[in-house]
Amino acid sequence: MKINSNYELLLREEEIKKRISELGEIITKDYRDKNLLLVSVLKGSFIFMSDLSRSIDLDLKIDFMSVSSYIGTESTGVVRILFDLSLPVTDFDILLVEDILDSGRTLKYIVSILKDRNPRSVEICTLLDKPTRRVADVDAKYIGFSIPDEFVVGYGLDYNEKYRNLNDIVILKP
Ligand code: IMP
Ligand code: MG
C-alpha cells in the first residue's frame, strides 16, 4: 500500500497515459518547425515530464528548474528559485511542463523571468488545471485535465513530500 490516508480516486493511470499521448501528438504537430525546449518545474512535474517528453516525436531538449511556493496545502504567494536552468534559452521555444495550475502565481512568476531572457516563445503545458482557483492572469496552452477544487496527490504531486510515487491521481481526504 503506497497510501495510508483517506483518499478518493480521481484519475487512473491508464486515463493519464492516454491523455498524455494525445497531448504529445498535438505538441509534435505544433512544434514541428520550432526549436523545442521542455522545461520541467520540479519536483511535481518529474513524472509528467518523463512521460510527456517521450510522447513528443521531435528532436527536443530538456531542462529543469525548481521553485518553492507552498508550505503544506496552503499558498503563501511566495515564489523562490531553488535552482535555475542549465541552458541559455534565446534560441528556444520554451514549453513549461507543470504538474498543476492552481492560483497561477508560480507560473506567472516563472513565465515573467523566462521572458526576460528573450526566448523565441514561452507556452505552458499543465497536466492538471484548477480553473476556479485562478488568481494570477496566466493561461496554459495545453491542459491535460481540468479538475475541481480539491487537493490531489500522486503521479508526482505531493502532500508534504509524500505520495509522489502513486500511479493514479487521488483526492486526499482530511
Ligand atoms: P499556484 O502558484 O497556486 O498555481 O501553485 C501551483 C503549485 O502548487 C503546483 O505546482 C503544486 O506544487 C502546488 N499545488 C497546488 N495544488 C495542489 C494540489 O492539489 N496537490 C498538490 N500540489 C498542489
Ligand atoms: Mg509544482
Side-chain angles (χ1 to χ4, degrees), residues 69-70 75 98-107 130 150-153 157-158:
S69 61
Y70 278 86
S75 168
E98 250 288 33
D99 51 353
I100 187 163
L101 186 49
D102 188 34
S103 74
R105 287 190 189 98
T106 312
L107 275 178
K130 287 184 190 168
E150 301 269 16
F151 196 83
V152 295
V153 297
L157 290 132
D158 73 305

Short mmCIF file of all heavy atoms in Angstrom, two decimals, residues 69-70 75 98-107 130 150-153 157-158, ligand 1:
data_model
loop_
_atom_site.label_atom_id
_atom_site.label_comp_id
_atom_site.label_asym_id
_atom_site.label_seq_id
_atom_site.Cartn_x
_atom_site.Cartn_y
_atom_site.Cartn_z
N SER A 69 6.90 27.44 -3.49
CA SER A 69 5.86 28.42 -3.25
C SER A 69 4.84 27.98 -2.22
O SER A 69 3.97 28.75 -1.85
CB SER A 69 5.13 28.75 -4.56
OG SER A 69 4.53 27.59 -5.07
N TYR A 70 4.96 26.75 -1.75
CA TYR A 70 3.92 26.24 -0.87
C TYR A 70 4.47 25.61 0.38
O TYR A 70 5.49 24.95 0.36
CB TYR A 70 3.07 25.19 -1.59
CG TYR A 70 2.01 25.80 -2.45
CD1 TYR A 70 2.29 26.20 -3.74
CD2 TYR A 70 0.73 26.00 -1.95
CE1 TYR A 70 1.33 26.76 -4.53
CE2 TYR A 70 -0.24 26.57 -2.74
CZ TYR A 70 0.06 26.95 -4.02
OH TYR A 70 -0.90 27.51 -4.80
N SER A 75 -1.25 28.15 -0.14
CA SER A 75 -0.44 29.04 -0.94
C SER A 75 0.04 30.20 -0.08
O SER A 75 -0.74 30.88 0.55
CB SER A 75 -1.26 29.59 -2.10
OG SER A 75 -0.56 30.65 -2.69
N GLU A 98 4.24 21.64 -16.31
CA GLU A 98 3.86 21.77 -14.89
C GLU A 98 2.91 20.65 -14.49
O GLU A 98 2.17 20.12 -15.30
CB GLU A 98 3.17 23.12 -14.66
CG GLU A 98 4.00 24.11 -13.85
CD GLU A 98 4.11 23.76 -12.37
OE1 GLU A 98 4.13 22.56 -12.00
OE2 GLU A 98 4.20 24.69 -11.56
N ASP A 99 2.93 20.33 -13.22
CA ASP A 99 2.00 19.32 -12.70
C ASP A 99 0.59 19.89 -12.57
O ASP A 99 -0.37 19.28 -13.00
CB ASP A 99 2.49 18.76 -11.36
CG ASP A 99 2.83 19.85 -10.34
OD1 ASP A 99 2.82 21.05 -10.68
OD2 ASP A 99 3.13 19.50 -9.18
N ILE A 100 0.49 21.08 -11.97
CA ILE A 100 -0.84 21.61 -11.70
C ILE A 100 -0.83 23.13 -11.68
O ILE A 100 0.09 23.75 -11.16
CB ILE A 100 -1.40 21.03 -10.36
CG1 ILE A 100 -2.86 21.43 -10.14
CG2 ILE A 100 -0.54 21.40 -9.18
CD1 ILE A 100 -3.57 20.58 -9.09
N LEU A 101 -1.85 23.70 -12.30
CA LEU A 101 -2.04 25.15 -12.32
C LEU A 101 -3.18 25.45 -11.36
O LEU A 101 -4.32 25.05 -11.57
CB LEU A 101 -2.39 25.57 -13.75
CG LEU A 101 -2.51 27.04 -14.11
CD1 LEU A 101 -1.35 27.87 -13.61
CD2 LEU A 101 -2.63 27.18 -15.62
N ASP A 102 -2.82 26.14 -10.28
CA ASP A 102 -3.77 26.38 -9.20
C ASP A 102 -4.09 27.88 -9.18
O ASP A 102 -4.83 28.36 -10.03
CB ASP A 102 -3.12 25.87 -7.90
CG ASP A 102 -4.05 25.87 -6.71
OD1 ASP A 102 -5.26 25.62 -6.91
OD2 ASP A 102 -3.61 26.11 -5.58
N SER A 103 -3.50 28.65 -8.28
CA SER A 103 -3.72 30.11 -8.29
C SER A 103 -3.06 30.73 -9.51
O SER A 103 -3.48 31.79 -9.98
CB SER A 103 -3.14 30.74 -7.02
OG SER A 103 -1.74 30.79 -7.09
N GLY A 104 -2.02 30.07 -10.02
CA GLY A 104 -1.30 30.60 -11.18
C GLY A 104 -0.14 31.50 -10.80
O GLY A 104 0.62 31.92 -11.66
N ARG A 105 0.03 31.76 -9.51
CA ARG A 105 1.11 32.67 -9.07
C ARG A 105 2.48 32.14 -9.46
O ARG A 105 3.32 32.89 -9.94
CB ARG A 105 1.06 32.84 -7.55
CG ARG A 105 -0.09 33.70 -7.05
CD ARG A 105 0.13 33.99 -5.57
NE ARG A 105 -1.04 34.62 -4.98
CZ ARG A 105 -1.96 33.96 -4.29
NH1 ARG A 105 -1.85 32.66 -4.10
NH2 ARG A 105 -2.99 34.60 -3.78
N THR A 106 2.69 30.85 -9.23
CA THR A 106 4.00 30.26 -9.52
C THR A 106 4.34 30.41 -11.00
O THR A 106 5.41 30.90 -11.36
CB THR A 106 3.99 28.75 -9.16
OG1 THR A 106 3.44 28.60 -7.87
CG2 THR A 106 5.39 28.17 -9.19
N LEU A 107 3.42 30.01 -11.86
CA LEU A 107 3.72 30.05 -13.29
C LEU A 107 3.81 31.45 -13.83
O LEU A 107 4.61 31.73 -14.71
CB LEU A 107 2.68 29.24 -14.07
CG LEU A 107 3.01 27.75 -14.13
CD1 LEU A 107 1.93 27.00 -14.87
CD2 LEU A 107 4.36 27.52 -14.81
N LYS A 130 -6.84 23.71 -12.10
CA LYS A 130 -7.98 24.02 -11.21
C LYS A 130 -8.44 25.42 -11.56
O LYS A 130 -8.05 26.39 -10.90
CB LYS A 130 -7.51 24.01 -9.75
CG LYS A 130 -7.21 22.66 -9.14
CD LYS A 130 -6.87 22.88 -7.65
CE LYS A 130 -6.32 21.65 -6.99
NZ LYS A 130 -5.73 21.98 -5.66
N GLU A 150 -10.00 20.52 -5.32
CA GLU A 150 -9.72 19.52 -4.29
C GLU A 150 -8.21 19.33 -4.24
O GLU A 150 -7.54 19.54 -5.24
CB GLU A 150 -10.33 18.16 -4.67
CG GLU A 150 -11.83 18.18 -4.86
CD GLU A 150 -12.60 17.85 -3.60
OE1 GLU A 150 -12.00 17.91 -2.50
OE2 GLU A 150 -13.78 17.56 -3.72
N PHE A 151 -7.69 18.94 -3.10
CA PHE A 151 -6.25 18.71 -3.00
C PHE A 151 -5.91 17.30 -3.48
O PHE A 151 -6.40 16.32 -2.94
CB PHE A 151 -5.72 18.94 -1.59
CG PHE A 151 -4.23 19.11 -1.57
CD1 PHE A 151 -3.66 20.33 -1.86
CD2 PHE A 151 -3.40 18.02 -1.32
CE1 PHE A 151 -2.28 20.49 -1.90
CE2 PHE A 151 -2.02 18.16 -1.36
CZ PHE A 151 -1.47 19.39 -1.64
N VAL A 152 -5.10 17.23 -4.52
CA VAL A 152 -4.79 15.94 -5.14
C VAL A 152 -3.32 15.58 -4.97
O VAL A 152 -2.46 16.46 -4.89
CB VAL A 152 -5.17 15.92 -6.63
CG1 VAL A 152 -6.68 16.07 -6.80
CG2 VAL A 152 -4.45 17.03 -7.41
N VAL A 153 -3.07 14.29 -4.93
CA VAL A 153 -1.69 13.78 -4.86
C VAL A 153 -1.52 12.60 -5.80
O VAL A 153 -2.49 12.02 -6.29
CB VAL A 153 -1.31 13.34 -3.42
CG1 VAL A 153 -1.35 14.50 -2.45
CG2 VAL A 153 -2.21 12.20 -2.94
N LEU A 157 2.65 14.53 -7.79
CA LEU A 157 2.12 15.54 -6.86
C LEU A 157 2.21 15.03 -5.42
O LEU A 157 1.93 13.87 -5.14
CB LEU A 157 0.67 15.86 -7.20
CG LEU A 157 0.49 16.63 -8.50
CD1 LEU A 157 -0.59 16.00 -9.34
CD2 LEU A 157 0.17 18.09 -8.22
N ASP A 158 2.53 15.96 -4.53
CA ASP A 158 2.79 15.55 -3.15
C ASP A 158 1.90 16.26 -2.13
O ASP A 158 1.28 17.29 -2.41
CB ASP A 158 4.24 15.90 -2.77
CG ASP A 158 4.43 17.41 -2.58
OD1 ASP A 158 4.09 18.16 -3.50
OD2 ASP A 158 4.89 17.82 -1.49
P1 IMP B 1 -0.06 28.04 -7.94
O1 IMP B 1 1.04 29.05 -7.89
O2 IMP B 1 -1.11 28.34 -6.92
O3 IMP B 1 -0.65 27.85 -9.31
O4 IMP B 1 0.58 26.70 -7.41
C1 IMP B 1 0.99 25.67 -8.19
C2 IMP B 1 1.77 24.69 -7.34
O5 IMP B 1 1.10 24.44 -6.11
C3 IMP B 1 1.86 23.38 -8.05
O6 IMP B 1 2.98 23.32 -8.87
C4 IMP B 1 1.91 22.41 -6.89
O7 IMP B 1 3.24 22.22 -6.48
C5 IMP B 1 1.12 23.07 -5.79
N1 IMP B 1 -0.26 22.56 -5.73
C6 IMP B 1 -1.39 23.24 -5.99
N2 IMP B 1 -2.48 22.49 -5.86
C7 IMP B 1 -2.03 21.27 -5.49
C8 IMP B 1 -2.68 20.02 -5.20
O8 IMP B 1 -3.91 19.84 -5.27
N3 IMP B 1 -1.86 18.98 -4.87
C9 IMP B 1 -0.51 19.09 -4.79
N4 IMP B 1 0.14 20.23 -5.06
C10 IMP B 1 -0.61 21.32 -5.40
#
